[in-house]
Amino acid sequence: MKSVADSTTHSIHVMSGRSFALTFNANPTTGYQWLLANPLDSRYLSLVSNEFFPPPSPSRVGQSGHQVLTFHSLRQGMTSITMKYCRPWDEGDCATFSFTIVQIT
């Protein structure tokens, strides 16, 4: 029996034409990474970068860090970003989801 997925929901406000970042705890040594669960609405957002930052020194092998996804807002309106924490080769086994409602002014 699978356990219930963990999920969080956030709302943010950004100005049109500005970039913003979403930061997630991540540990790529396990094979897991944060992925877009649904395509972005390209009328409102574009993905600028997706980077992993290890913990500050002294770090240990297998220690988690942060995955930072940077987006750029394109026009006024409302959209959402849905993320899932999965192994890219086994997306059916995602245990964590994040929903972010984005209000662009």
Side-chain angles (χ1 to χ4, degrees):
M1 181 173 158
K2 280 191 169 188
S3 61
V4 176
D6 181 27
S7 66
T8 59
T9 303
H10 305 278
S11 295
I12 61 172
H13 289 84
V14 298
M15 294 192 62
S16 179
R18 299 285 176 116
S19 294
F20 64 96
L22 298 179
T23 301
F24 300 95
N25 290 326
N27 189 344
T29 63
T30 63
Y32 283 86
Q33 60 182 286
W34 284 97
L35 307 166
L36 288 168
N38 297 313
L40 294 174
D41 186 335
S42 61
R43 296 173 298 169
Y44 298 102
L45 297 174
S46 64
L47 178 63
V48 176
S49 65
N50 181 352
E51 301 176 277
F52 176 76
F53 295 94
S57 294
S59 62
R60 297 183 311 265
V61 174
Q63 189 174 1
S64 63
H66 293 93
Q67 188 173 341
V68 179
L69 291 95
T70 303
F71 301 88
H72 188 75
S73 61
L74 303 171
R75 61 186 283 196
Q76 292 183 352
M78 185 178 287
T79 189
S80 63
I81 301 169
T82 306
M83 303 294 299
K84 58 187 176 182
Y85 193 57
C86 303
R87 293 180 171 132
W89 64 87
D90 187 15
E91 293 184 28
D93 188 24
C94 302
T96 307
F97 294 86
S98 174
F99 305 97
T100 304
I101 300 165
V102 183
Q103 177 68 48
I104 305 167
T105 55

